[in-house]
Amino acid sequence: MARSQLASKIEKETVRWIGERVGWNKPFDGTFTSGGNEANFSALALALAAHFPQAIEEGVAAIGARPVLYTSAEAHHSIDKSAGLLGLGRKALRRIPVNANIQLDPSHLEAQIGQDKSDGLVPFCVVATAGTTNSGAVDDLVALAAICKRHQLWLHLDGAYGAAAIFSDQHRDLVHGIDLADSITIDPHKWLAMPFAAGVILTSHPETLQQAFGVSTPYMPRVAIQKTSGPTPLDNFQVSTQWSRRTNSLKLWLSLRVHGRQAYEELIDRQLKLAAYFANCVRSSQHFELAAPQVLPIVNFRVKLPGASDKQIRVVNQAIVQEVTHDGRRWISTTLVNGKSVIRVMVISYLTGHRHLEDLMIALTEAVKRQMSTTAGRI
């Protein structure tokens, strides 16, 4: 889409639709990306450009002191990768402990910012999460925004998964405070059911896009535009890490044109109800227990093994998942939430219905009974 004005206008309109759902009452802009990794990288580049404009030309060494940024212990690994690629170093990222709701703990964050300032470091950005990969947790955006305002830090929201809740009038409070963010990542190829690849980076500081990504390109054609001929043609490479690329916005633009936002209202509501139904199945189970609050359509649970260590629980969890998924009919996984082993079930396909979750619970129950009989004598 290097110079395609139609593609550029489609992207511009789609970005506007998304930004309006965020609820910003000030100018905003954004661009489509290949996915959340590139979008988060772009957001940190924006934060760096906003706080240390000299670093764009002179490099991070021109800052004089070491910049540091913050995110939760449960945040996506793309933040580590981005810190390294931007020359900040992965050790510049402070991973803050989470609270009982698997949210970035504001008190720990404030304490770490204070410590870093005392040590002569330069805090510049907090990365909140709306929909962690492991558990679907949503950070307290209002509390984090207040901290960022006090310390004059850029607030980025990695909402690759959960920020799609803005498309639901009924459930948008799941991301209450999203409009307080300086930049937002959204992946339509997650909860909005788009094919790969489709990511978006939005910012309420549109001038930083060209500040971070704009370059002079004498070999690109220039068109003389008369005042009566309309606006200057869009140059997407001036606001993006990419140059020539696919029209990743087209699929979402078409979906919204054909099905409308109401289709997403229904999808989001249905999947949240399915996840809540499955969480209730776990609560009433004799063999499993919930391991984290169910916020988005992700359910974390573990096998009940009184007196067992987490290592023993992890072994049984893994064996259960292996048995339930070995025939390829279902896909669930094990992971770690706040350092502890859990089984993770995510309702993400628009084809998933109650019968699939009922069958899954039956399969899980049969698997755990077999595992309990095998391990009972060893625990």
Side-chain angles (χ1 to χ4, degrees):
M1 87 181 251
R3 287 289 276 193
S4 168
Q5 288 305 293
L6 176 59
S8 296
K9 288 176 181 177
I10 286 172
E11 175 163 314
K12 199 79 172 176
E13 185 168 61
T14 312
V15 165
R16 177 174 62 81
W17 290 344
I18 300 170
E20 287 173 351
R21 293 302 302 177
V22 170
W24 279 321
N25 57 6
K26 53 187 174 180
F28 62 85
D29 201 355
T31 185
F32 270 69
T33 68
S34 58
N37 188 57
E38 184 192 341
N40 284 335
F41 175 87
S42 300
L44 295 190
L46 295 178
L48 201 62
H51 278 262
F52 314 110
Q54 73 275 24
I56 302 301
E57 297 294 334
E58 303 294 335
V60 293
I63 296 170
R66 185 176 187 180
V68 290
L69 65 159
Y70 309 86
T71 196
S72 91
E74 295 289 313
H76 195 265
H77 68 273
S78 61
I79 310 302
D80 303 81
K81 184 183 289 189
S82 296
L85 291 173
L86 285 166
L88 300 168
R90 296 185 181 184
K91 290 184 177 180
L93 178 63
R94 272 59 172 138
R95 285 197 170 263
I96 306 300
V98 295
N99 59 24
N101 292 321
I102 321 298
Q103 298 170 310
L104 191 160
D105 190 300
S107 60
H108 279 90
L109 172 63
E110 192 106 51
Q112 185 63 60
I113 292 171
Q115 181 63 55
D116 286 336
K117 285 184 173 182
S118 297
D119 292 342
L121 305 177
V122 186
F124 75 100
C125 180
V126 172
V127 180
T129 304
T132 57
T133 304
N134 288 326
S135 68
V138 177
D139 288 334
D140 186 339
L141 305 181
V142 174
L144 297 184
I147 292 172
C148 287
K149 185 176 182 179
R150 274 198 299 277
H151 294 277
Q152 297 184 315
L153 308 181
W154 183 282
L155 177 60
H156 173 59
L157 175 62
D158 178 6
Y161 171 34
I166 60 174
F167 281 84
S168 167
D169 288 342
Q170 185 178 356
H171 298 292
R172 67 171 293 124
D173 277 352
L174 287 169
V175 288
H176 176 63
I178 189 172
D179 57 307
L180 301 173
D182 296 294
S183 57
I184 302 168
T185 289
I186 298 179
D187 271 9
H189 64 220
K190 289 188 171 68
W191 208 1
L192 298 181
M194 292 293 98
F196 289 119
V200 183
I201 175 65
L202 302 167
T203 178
S204 57
H205 306 277
E207 70 283 356
T208 59
L209 286 163
Q210 288 227 10
Q211 188 179 356
F213 303 118
V215 290
S216 176
T217 53
Y219 48 84
M220 289 295 285
R222 292 290 183 270
V223 180
I225 302 293
Q226 301 297 325
K227 289 184 179 179
T228 57
S229 301
T232 304
L234 299 170
D235 281 329
N236 294 88
F237 70 90
Q238 297 280 11
V239 296
S240 170
T241 61
Q242 298 186 63
W243 205 294
S244 300
R245 57 187 171 95
R246 296 176 178 177
T247 313
N248 287 332
S249 58
L250 179 60
K251 60 197 82 173
L252 182 59
W253 183 86
L254 278 172
S255 293
L256 288 168
R257 280 290 189 188
V258 173
H259 300 290
R261 187 198 60 80
Q262 185 60 33
Y264 285 123
E265 183 83 52
E266 295 168 5
L267 173 72
I268 290 167
D269 182 59
R270 184 167 61 85
Q271 292 192 337
L272 282 166
K273 287 177 178 175
L274 286 170
Y277 161 76
F278 191 78
N280 283 332
C281 289
V282 172
R283 288 188 187 96
S284 61
S285 170
Q286 297 178 6
H287 307 289
F288 297 104
E289 61 185 0
L290 286 178
Q294 179 259 310
V295 180
L296 299 182
I298 296 178
V299 182
N300 291 153
F301 58 101
R302 61 169 64 93
V303 64
K304 288 181 182 178
L305 286 178
S309 66
D310 190 67
K311 182 178 180 181
Q312 292 168 322
I313 291 173
R314 184 181 305 188
V315 170
V316 178
N317 283 346
Q318 290 173 340
I320 290 169
V321 168
Q322 175 63 30
E323 182 172 339
V324 168
T325 60
H326 79 279
D327 62 2
R329 294 173 55 209
R330 308 174 187 89
W331 196 91
I332 62 174
S333 64
T334 58
T335 189
L336 298 177
V337 171
N338 206 11
K340 294 186 177 181
S341 173
V342 302
I343 298 173
R344 176 182 181 272
V345 170
M346 182 180 191
V347 180
I348 193 65
S349 171
Y350 55 84
L351 298 175
T352 300
H354 274 96
R355 65 181 179 87
H356 300 104
L357 297 177
E358 290 167 358
D359 289 346
L360 174 59
M361 198 66 210
I362 291 170
L364 284 164
T365 301
E366 292 174 350
V368 73
K369 286 179 179 178
R370 279 189 283 273
Q371 289 299 318
M372 295 286 271
S373 64
T374 302
T375 60
R378 301 202 300 267
I379 295 175

Short mmCIF file of all heavy atoms in Angstrom, two decimals, residues 116-164:
data_model
loop_
_atom_site.label_atom_id
_atom_site.label_comp_id
_atom_site.label_asym_id
_atom_site.label_seq_id
_atom_site.Cartn_x
_atom_site.Cartn_y
_atom_site.Cartn_z
N ASP A 116 13.66 4.02 41.28
CA ASP A 116 14.44 4.27 40.06
C ASP A 116 14.85 5.73 39.96
O ASP A 116 15.97 6.06 39.55
CB ASP A 116 13.64 3.85 38.82
CG ASP A 116 13.57 2.34 38.67
OD1 ASP A 116 14.46 1.65 39.21
OD2 ASP A 116 12.64 1.85 38.02
N LYS A 117 13.95 6.64 40.33
CA LYS A 117 14.30 8.06 40.31
C LYS A 117 15.43 8.34 41.30
O LYS A 117 16.37 9.11 40.99
CB LYS A 117 13.08 8.90 40.63
CG LYS A 117 12.08 9.00 39.48
CD LYS A 117 10.93 9.94 39.85
CE LYS A 117 10.01 10.19 38.66
NZ LYS A 117 8.91 11.13 38.99
N SER A 118 15.36 7.73 42.47
CA SER A 118 16.42 7.91 43.47
C SER A 118 17.75 7.40 42.97
O SER A 118 18.81 7.93 43.35
CB SER A 118 16.04 7.19 44.77
OG SER A 118 14.87 7.74 45.35
N ASP A 119 17.70 6.37 42.12
CA ASP A 119 18.93 5.77 41.58
C ASP A 119 19.46 6.51 40.36
O ASP A 119 20.43 6.06 39.73
CB ASP A 119 18.68 4.30 41.23
CG ASP A 119 18.44 3.44 42.45
OD1 ASP A 119 18.80 3.87 43.57
OD2 ASP A 119 17.88 2.32 42.30
N GLY A 120 18.82 7.62 40.00
CA GLY A 120 19.29 8.40 38.86
C GLY A 120 18.82 7.92 37.51
O GLY A 120 19.31 8.38 36.47
N LEU A 121 17.85 7.01 37.48
CA LEU A 121 17.29 6.52 36.22
C LEU A 121 16.14 7.43 35.80
O LEU A 121 15.67 8.27 36.57
CB LEU A 121 16.82 5.08 36.38
CG LEU A 121 17.88 4.10 36.90
CD1 LEU A 121 17.29 2.71 37.08
CD2 LEU A 121 19.08 4.05 35.95
N VAL A 122 15.69 7.26 34.55
CA VAL A 122 14.67 8.15 34.00
C VAL A 122 13.45 7.33 33.57
O VAL A 122 13.40 6.81 32.45
CB VAL A 122 15.21 8.95 32.80
CG1 VAL A 122 14.17 9.98 32.35
CG2 VAL A 122 16.51 9.64 33.14
N PRO A 123 12.45 7.19 34.42
CA PRO A 123 11.21 6.51 34.01
C PRO A 123 10.51 7.32 32.91
O PRO A 123 10.49 8.55 32.96
CB PRO A 123 10.38 6.50 35.29
CG PRO A 123 11.37 6.70 36.41
CD PRO A 123 12.42 7.59 35.84
N PHE A 124 9.96 6.60 31.90
CA PHE A 124 9.28 7.35 30.84
C PHE A 124 7.99 6.70 30.37
O PHE A 124 7.18 7.34 29.69
CB PHE A 124 10.21 7.55 29.63
CG PHE A 124 10.41 6.33 28.78
CD1 PHE A 124 9.71 6.16 27.59
CD2 PHE A 124 11.32 5.34 29.14
CE1 PHE A 124 9.89 5.04 26.79
CE2 PHE A 124 11.52 4.22 28.35
CZ PHE A 124 10.80 4.07 27.17
N CYS A 125 7.72 5.43 30.73
CA CYS A 125 6.55 4.76 30.17
C CYS A 125 6.06 3.63 31.08
O CYS A 125 6.88 2.93 31.69
CB CYS A 125 6.91 4.17 28.79
SG CYS A 125 5.57 3.30 27.96
N VAL A 126 4.75 3.50 31.16
CA VAL A 126 4.11 2.36 31.81
C VAL A 126 3.27 1.65 30.75
O VAL A 126 2.52 2.29 30.00
CB VAL A 126 3.20 2.79 32.98
CG1 VAL A 126 2.40 1.59 33.51
CG2 VAL A 126 4.03 3.42 34.09
N VAL A 127 3.43 0.34 30.65
CA VAL A 127 2.64 -0.47 29.72
C VAL A 127 1.60 -1.25 30.51
O VAL A 127 1.94 -2.19 31.24
CB VAL A 127 3.52 -1.43 28.90
CG1 VAL A 127 2.65 -2.25 27.93
CG2 VAL A 127 4.59 -0.65 28.13
N ALA A 128 0.36 -0.85 30.40
CA ALA A 128 -0.75 -1.59 31.01
C ALA A 128 -1.22 -2.67 30.04
O ALA A 128 -0.90 -2.63 28.85
CB ALA A 128 -1.89 -0.64 31.34
N THR A 129 -1.99 -3.62 30.56
CA THR A 129 -2.51 -4.70 29.72
C THR A 129 -4.02 -4.82 29.88
O THR A 129 -4.52 -4.80 31.00
CB THR A 129 -1.86 -6.04 30.08
OG1 THR A 129 -0.43 -5.93 29.98
CG2 THR A 129 -2.32 -7.14 29.12
N ALA A 130 -4.70 -4.96 28.76
CA ALA A 130 -6.14 -5.28 28.77
C ALA A 130 -6.29 -6.63 28.11
O ALA A 130 -6.36 -6.73 26.89
CB ALA A 130 -6.95 -4.22 28.05
N GLY A 131 -6.27 -7.67 28.94
CA GLY A 131 -6.38 -9.03 28.42
C GLY A 131 -5.04 -9.72 28.33
O GLY A 131 -4.50 -9.90 27.23
N THR A 132 -4.49 -10.10 29.48
CA THR A 132 -3.20 -10.81 29.46
C THR A 132 -3.37 -12.14 28.74
O THR A 132 -4.45 -12.75 28.73
CB THR A 132 -2.69 -11.07 30.88
OG1 THR A 132 -3.68 -11.81 31.62
CG2 THR A 132 -2.39 -9.77 31.60
N THR A 133 -2.29 -12.59 28.12
CA THR A 133 -2.35 -13.82 27.34
C THR A 133 -2.71 -15.02 28.19
O THR A 133 -3.49 -15.88 27.77
CB THR A 133 -0.99 -14.06 26.65
OG1 THR A 133 -0.66 -12.92 25.86
CG2 THR A 133 -1.04 -15.29 25.76
N ASN A 134 -2.17 -15.09 29.39
CA ASN A 134 -2.39 -16.27 30.22
C ASN A 134 -3.78 -16.32 30.84
O ASN A 134 -4.41 -17.38 30.87
CB ASN A 134 -1.35 -16.32 31.34
CG ASN A 134 0.03 -16.69 30.82
OD1 ASN A 134 0.16 -17.46 29.89
ND2 ASN A 134 1.05 -16.09 31.41
N SER A 135 -4.26 -15.18 31.35
CA SER A 135 -5.50 -15.22 32.13
C SER A 135 -6.58 -14.25 31.69
O SER A 135 -7.70 -14.30 32.20
CB SER A 135 -5.18 -14.95 33.61
OG SER A 135 -4.76 -13.61 33.78
N GLY A 136 -6.28 -13.35 30.77
CA GLY A 136 -7.28 -12.37 30.35
C GLY A 136 -7.48 -11.25 31.36
O GLY A 136 -8.49 -10.54 31.30
N ALA A 137 -6.55 -11.04 32.26
CA ALA A 137 -6.66 -9.98 33.27
C ALA A 137 -6.59 -8.61 32.61
O ALA A 137 -5.90 -8.43 31.60
CB ALA A 137 -5.56 -10.12 34.32
N VAL A 138 -7.30 -7.66 33.19
CA VAL A 138 -7.29 -6.27 32.72
C VAL A 138 -6.78 -5.39 33.85
O VAL A 138 -7.37 -5.37 34.94
CB VAL A 138 -8.69 -5.82 32.27
CG1 VAL A 138 -8.67 -4.35 31.84
CG2 VAL A 138 -9.21 -6.70 31.14
N ASP A 139 -5.70 -4.68 33.60
CA ASP A 139 -5.13 -3.82 34.64
C ASP A 139 -6.09 -2.68 34.99
O ASP A 139 -6.97 -2.32 34.20
CB ASP A 139 -3.80 -3.24 34.18
CG ASP A 139 -2.68 -4.27 34.15
OD1 ASP A 139 -2.76 -5.26 34.90
OD2 ASP A 139 -1.72 -4.10 33.36
N ASP A 140 -5.90 -2.11 36.18
CA ASP A 140 -6.70 -0.97 36.63
C ASP A 140 -6.20 0.28 35.91
O ASP A 140 -5.25 0.94 36.33
CB ASP A 140 -6.55 -0.82 38.16
CG ASP A 140 -7.46 0.27 38.72
OD1 ASP A 140 -7.89 1.16 37.96
OD2 ASP A 140 -7.72 0.23 39.94
N LEU A 141 -6.84 0.59 34.80
CA LEU A 141 -6.35 1.65 33.92
C LEU A 141 -6.46 3.02 34.56
O LEU A 141 -5.61 3.89 34.35
CB LEU A 141 -7.11 1.61 32.59
CG LEU A 141 -7.09 0.26 31.86
CD1 LEU A 141 -7.84 0.36 30.55
CD2 LEU A 141 -5.65 -0.20 31.62
N VAL A 142 -7.50 3.24 35.34
CA VAL A 142 -7.68 4.54 35.99
C VAL A 142 -6.56 4.78 37.00
O VAL A 142 -5.98 5.87 37.06
CB VAL A 142 -9.06 4.62 36.65
CG1 VAL A 142 -9.21 5.90 37.45
CG2 VAL A 142 -10.17 4.53 35.60
N ALA A 143 -6.27 3.78 37.81
CA ALA A 143 -5.21 3.92 38.81
C ALA A 143 -3.85 4.12 38.15
O ALA A 143 -3.05 4.96 38.60
CB ALA A 143 -5.17 2.68 39.71
N LEU A 144 -3.58 3.40 37.08
CA LEU A 144 -2.28 3.52 36.41
C LEU A 144 -2.17 4.87 35.71
O LEU A 144 -1.09 5.48 35.67
CB LEU A 144 -2.10 2.38 35.41
CG LEU A 144 -2.06 0.97 36.02
CD1 LEU A 144 -1.77 -0.07 34.94
CD2 LEU A 144 -1.04 0.87 37.14
N ALA A 145 -3.28 5.35 35.15
CA ALA A 145 -3.26 6.66 34.50
C ALA A 145 -2.96 7.77 35.51
O ALA A 145 -2.24 8.73 35.20
CB ALA A 145 -4.60 6.93 33.81
N ALA A 146 -3.49 7.63 36.72
CA ALA A 146 -3.23 8.62 37.77
C ALA A 146 -1.74 8.65 38.14
O ALA A 146 -1.15 9.72 38.34
CB ALA A 146 -4.08 8.33 39.00
N ILE A 147 -1.13 7.47 38.22
CA ILE A 147 0.30 7.39 38.53
C ILE A 147 1.11 8.03 37.40
O ILE A 147 2.05 8.79 37.64
CB ILE A 147 0.72 5.93 38.76
CG1 ILE A 147 0.09 5.39 40.05
CG2 ILE A 147 2.24 5.79 38.81
CD1 ILE A 147 0.29 3.91 40.27
N CYS A 148 0.73 7.71 36.17
CA CYS A 148 1.46 8.27 35.02
C CYS A 148 1.33 9.80 34.99
O CYS A 148 2.30 10.50 34.67
CB CYS A 148 0.93 7.67 33.73
SG CYS A 148 1.42 5.96 33.47
N LYS A 149 0.18 10.29 35.33
CA LYS A 149 -0.01 11.75 35.35
C LYS A 149 0.86 12.39 36.42
O LYS A 149 1.49 13.44 36.18
CB LYS A 149 -1.48 12.07 35.59
CG LYS A 149 -1.80 13.55 35.49
CD LYS A 149 -3.30 13.80 35.63
CE LYS A 149 -3.62 15.29 35.49
NZ LYS A 149 -5.09 15.55 35.60
N ARG A 150 0.94 11.77 37.59
CA ARG A 150 1.77 12.32 38.68
C ARG A 150 3.24 12.37 38.30
O ARG A 150 3.95 13.30 38.64
CB ARG A 150 1.61 11.47 39.95
CG ARG A 150 0.44 11.86 40.81
CD ARG A 150 0.56 11.32 42.22
NE ARG A 150 0.62 9.87 42.29
CZ ARG A 150 -0.44 9.07 42.27
NH1 ARG A 150 -1.65 9.59 42.13
NH2 ARG A 150 -0.32 7.77 42.36
N HIS A 151 3.69 11.33 37.59
CA HIS A 151 5.12 11.23 37.28
C HIS A 151 5.44 11.63 35.84
O HIS A 151 6.58 11.49 35.40
CB HIS A 151 5.60 9.80 37.53
CG HIS A 151 5.54 9.40 38.98
ND1 HIS A 151 6.52 9.72 39.88
CD2 HIS A 151 4.59 8.70 39.68
CE1 HIS A 151 6.21 9.24 41.07
NE2 HIS A 151 5.05 8.62 40.98
N GLN A 152 4.43 12.11 35.12
CA GLN A 152 4.60 12.55 33.73
C GLN A 152 5.18 11.43 32.86
O GLN A 152 6.18 11.61 32.15
CB GLN A 152 5.48 13.81 33.67
CG GLN A 152 4.85 15.00 34.38
CD GLN A 152 5.67 16.27 34.24
OE1 GLN A 152 6.89 16.24 34.41
NE2 GLN A 152 5.02 17.37 33.94
N LEU A 153 4.52 10.29 32.91
CA LEU A 153 4.94 9.13 32.12
C LEU A 153 3.91 8.86 31.02
O LEU A 153 2.73 9.17 31.15
CB LEU A 153 5.06 7.88 33.01
CG LEU A 153 5.91 8.02 34.28
CD1 LEU A 153 5.93 6.69 35.03
CD2 LEU A 153 7.31 8.48 33.93
N TRP A 154 4.37 8.27 29.94
CA TRP A 154 3.51 7.84 28.84
C TRP A 154 2.80 6.55 29.27
O TRP A 154 3.43 5.62 29.76
CB TRP A 154 4.36 7.59 27.61
CG TRP A 154 3.64 7.20 26.35
CD1 TRP A 154 3.14 5.96 26.04
CD2 TRP A 154 3.36 8.04 25.22
NE1 TRP A 154 2.56 5.98 24.79
CE2 TRP A 154 2.68 7.24 24.26
CE3 TRP A 154 3.61 9.37 24.92
CZ2 TRP A 154 2.27 7.73 23.01
CZ3 TRP A 154 3.21 9.86 23.69
CH2 TRP A 154 2.55 9.06 22.76
N LEU A 155 1.48 6.50 29.08
CA LEU A 155 0.73 5.29 29.40
C LEU A 155 0.34 4.60 28.09
O LEU A 155 -0.46 5.12 27.31
CB LEU A 155 -0.52 5.61 30.20
CG LEU A 155 -1.44 4.41 30.51
CD1 LEU A 155 -0.70 3.34 31.33
CD2 LEU A 155 -2.70 4.85 31.24
N HIS A 156 0.93 3.44 27.86
CA HIS A 156 0.55 2.61 26.71
C HIS A 156 -0.32 1.46 27.20
O HIS A 156 -0.03 0.86 28.24
CB HIS A 156 1.77 2.06 26.00
CG HIS A 156 1.43 1.07 24.92
ND1 HIS A 156 0.61 1.39 23.85
CD2 HIS A 156 1.74 -0.25 24.77
CE1 HIS A 156 0.45 0.33 23.08
NE2 HIS A 156 1.12 -0.68 23.62
N LEU A 157 -1.35 1.16 26.45
CA LEU A 157 -2.21 0.03 26.77
C LEU A 157 -2.04 -1.06 25.73
O LEU A 157 -2.38 -0.86 24.56
CB LEU A 157 -3.68 0.45 26.83
CG LEU A 157 -4.67 -0.70 27.03
CD1 LEU A 157 -4.42 -1.41 28.37
CD2 LEU A 157 -6.10 -0.22 26.94
N ASP A 158 -1.48 -2.19 26.14
CA ASP A 158 -1.44 -3.36 25.27
C ASP A 158 -2.81 -4.03 25.38
O ASP A 158 -3.03 -4.88 26.23
CB ASP A 158 -0.32 -4.31 25.68
CG ASP A 158 -0.30 -5.57 24.81
OD1 ASP A 158 -1.07 -5.64 23.83
OD2 ASP A 158 0.49 -6.49 25.13
N GLY A 159 -3.70 -3.62 24.50
CA GLY A 159 -5.04 -4.19 24.45
C GLY A 159 -5.21 -5.09 23.25
O GLY A 159 -6.32 -5.17 22.71
N ALA A 160 -4.13 -5.75 22.85
CA ALA A 160 -4.17 -6.58 21.64
C ALA A 160 -5.39 -7.49 21.64
O ALA A 160 -6.07 -7.64 20.62
CB ALA A 160 -2.88 -7.40 21.54
N TYR A 161 -5.71 -8.07 22.79
CA TYR A 161 -6.87 -8.93 22.91
C TYR A 161 -8.06 -8.17 23.48
O TYR A 161 -9.09 -7.95 22.82
CB TYR A 161 -6.51 -10.14 23.77
CG TYR A 161 -7.66 -11.03 24.18
CD1 TYR A 161 -8.76 -11.24 23.33
CD2 TYR A 161 -7.66 -11.66 25.42
CE1 TYR A 161 -9.82 -12.06 23.72
CE2 TYR A 161 -8.70 -12.49 25.80
CZ TYR A 161 -9.78 -12.68 24.96
OH TYR A 161 -10.83 -13.49 25.34
N GLY A 162 -7.95 -7.69 24.71
CA GLY A 162 -9.11 -7.22 25.45
C GLY A 162 -9.66 -5.87 25.07
O GLY A 162 -10.82 -5.57 25.35
N ALA A 163 -8.86 -5.01 24.42
CA ALA A 163 -9.36 -3.69 24.07
C ALA A 163 -10.49 -3.74 23.06
O ALA A 163 -11.22 -2.77 22.89
CB ALA A 163 -8.23 -2.80 23.55
N ALA A 164 -10.67 -4.88 22.42
CA ALA A 164 -11.80 -5.03 21.49
C ALA A 164 -13.14 -4.88 22.19
O ALA A 164 -14.17 -4.69 21.53
CB ALA A 164 -11.72 -6.40 20.80
#
